[in-house]
Amino acid sequence: MKSINIVVMAMILAGCTGGSGQTQTTAADTAEVKNYRWKMITTWPKNLPGLGAAPERLAQKLRVMSAGRLDIKVYGAGELVGALEVFDAVSQGTAQMGHGAAYYWRGKIPAAAFFATVPFGMNAQEMNGWLHYGGGLELWRELYAPFNLVPFAAGNSGVQMAGWFNKEINSVDDLKGLKMRIPGLGGEVLARAGGTPVVLPGGEIYTALQTGVIDATEWVGPYNDLAFSLHTAAKYYYYPGWHEPGPTLEAMVNKEAWDSLPADLQMMIEVATRAINDDMLSEFTARNNAALVTLVQEHGVQLRRLPDDVLVKLKAISKEVVAEAALENELAERIHNSYTTFQQDVARYHSYSEQAYLNAR
Ligand code: CA
């Protein structure tokens, strides 16, 4: 008798009715379902393919995975805040989430550049290894914590192109006086080679190049550069992208907004950003080749490799710039040491694996 009573009590508590087996929604159930309507601001022009597709796909995945509980509206650069105001706006809670690249915030936190890309540094595969299995992400979260932000890797373009120029680069002297759009530590390297680096958000590059405000620009690679029609503003397209060998794009979440989420929605963000991180690299890998063929064969773009002596010089300057980035403070030194140690170790193994294979193929 006692055990039957327990079963009946359990059925009542579970909200079961009579013999129908149907469940009724209780007040407790209703309280558990909370919907979150968020804003995600980005540094990319609205509807830009490639980089701009990442935040849209991220929001779409989260909406479906959460059955609408986490509904994020994506804003392009300038719609809510300017492209280079994303970090501050998410930090202050103007939007709960942002998508950009960590080197855009180098003026505020110099060590942030390590979480985007380092000249002559790690490629996409190596960056992902460092971030997710080499302690990189923990350091990134420590760096952003005082700014009320939780960062995630959320995209990678792979090795970029060196950029668009209106004159040939035949020696290091050709970089002198060159006014070039190039963000991050690469910009500092160009400055020491005699050029003038300019930081412009993507949406302002084309006009600046076409009107002569800048002499040259880097952007991403064939797929995204074709989308901006940069070939109509410059003739020579140089490789390799020594300054951005595998830049990580970032998603960042305001700390209070993050803490307000239940564990399952937090896990969905963790998983969806990892998916987007991989998705972007896959898309660029698939589309860059076809876009380069279009640029060269249909638009007559002059493809050029940077001369060896230019690359040797830029590499030497990069070593100085990267070493100096460690001097800012104790955390910057730990980030620098973690990054450079991981790169040395992974490069040694990759000389027997990825690099040896690519050389042999
Ligand atoms: Ca770039």
Side-chain angles (χ1 to χ4, degrees):
M1 274 303 284
K2 203 171 182 186
S3 63
I4 289 171
N5 279 338
I6 289 169
V7 169
V8 170
M9 277 302 289
M11 285 175 71
I12 291 167
L13 286 172
C16 292
T17 57
S20 70
Q22 289 177 332
T23 55
Q24 291 177 336
T25 307
T26 66
D29 289 336
T30 313
E32 279 171 20
V33 180
K34 188 174 172 197
N35 293 322
Y36 298 82
R37 287 186 176 276
W38 280 14
K39 295 172 183 147
M40 177 156 42
I41 50 181
T42 74
T43 58
W44 325 116
K46 188 74 180 169
N47 299 323
L48 178 75
L51 301 181
E56 305 283 354
R57 289 173 185 169
L58 177 58
Q60 198 261 350
K61 283 186 197 308
L62 287 168
R63 197 174 299 122
V64 174
M65 289 166 87
S66 70
R69 288 162 58 212
L70 183 53
D71 192 340
I72 304 175
K73 185 169 163 60
V74 179
Y75 295 86
E79 290 189 314
L80 267 190
V81 302
L84 301 183
E85 294 164 10
V86 168
F87 184 95
D88 286 341
V90 180
S91 172
Q92 291 156 12
T94 306
Q96 292 82 3
M97 211 164 169
H99 192 271
Y103 57 32
Y104 288 132
W105 329 124
R106 197 168 77 85
K108 185 182 291 286
I109 342 170
F114 284 99
F115 301 102
T117 193
V118 169
F120 297 92
M122 292 193 272
N123 68 14
Q125 185 179 345
E126 294 162 348
M127 271 300 283
N128 285 329
W130 177 57
L131 288 172
H132 298 121
Y133 286 91
L137 186 62
E138 288 80 3
L139 287 166
W140 196 359
R141 295 202 168 153
E142 186 178 346
L143 185 70
Y144 275 23
F147 300 91
N148 207 30
L149 293 168
V150 184
F152 301 81
N156 197 304
S157 67
V159 181
Q160 298 204 348
M161 292 292 278
W164 297 88
F165 300 80
N166 271 309
K167 64 172 189 180
E168 288 195 60
I169 305 298
N170 295 316
S171 72
V172 178
D173 283 346
D174 290 323
L175 299 175
K176 292 206 163 72
L178 193 77
K179 200 170 175 188
M180 178 172 180
R181 184 272 181 189
I182 173 171
L185 295 172
E188 178 60 28
V189 175
L190 178 72
R192 294 191 195 187
T196 304
V198 177
V199 178
L200 289 174
E204 296 174 26
I205 294 175
Y206 179 81
T207 305
L209 185 60
Q210 217 207 6
T211 57
V213 170
I214 53 175
D215 305 314
T217 189
E218 69 80 52
W219 175 223
V220 184
Y223 178 55
N224 256 171
D225 293 6
L226 180 62
F228 270 173
S229 299
L230 294 175
H231 57 280
T232 66
K235 181 175 170 187
Y236 298 104
Y237 197 21
Y238 272 88
Y239 68 93
W242 58 274
H243 64 305
E244 298 204 34
T248 294
L249 288 304
E250 68 181 359
M252 54 178 120
V253 180
N254 174 277
K255 181 70 164 57
E256 279 87 48
W258 174 254
D259 289 341
S260 76
L261 293 180
D264 63 334
L265 293 184
Q266 287 183 338
M267 181 56 79
M268 286 179 208
I269 292 179
E270 294 271 7
V271 171
T273 49
R274 283 288 283 273
I276 286 299
N277 193 48
D278 172 72
D279 179 76
M280 186 188 289
L281 186 62
S282 303
E283 185 175 24
F284 276 118
T285 302
R287 301 198 197 281
N288 270 334
N289 174 53
L292 185 61
V293 170
T294 301
L295 286 168
V296 171
Q297 293 186 358
E298 289 180 29
H299 300 294
V301 164
Q302 300 290 306
L303 191 61
R304 297 278 190 281
R305 183 179 184 275
L306 285 171
D308 282 335
D309 60 335
V310 172
L311 288 171
V312 166
K313 178 71 177 171
L314 292 171
K315 188 173 172 180
I317 301 172
S318 296
K319 271 196 163 177
E320 295 171 13
V321 168
V322 172
E324 285 173 28
L327 305 177
E328 184 202 359
N329 56 37
E330 183 270 339
L331 178 54
E333 187 180 2
R334 278 192 286 127
I335 291 168
H336 165 274
N337 292 350
S338 174
Y339 184 103
T340 53
T341 302
F342 194 92
Q343 180 177 338
Q344 282 164 15
D345 293 349
V346 82
R348 187 175 53 235
Y349 175 64
H350 274 175
S351 72
Y352 305 117
S353 54
E354 310 295 321
Q355 195 167 354
Y357 170 68
L358 287 174
N359 289 343
R361 187 162 70 175

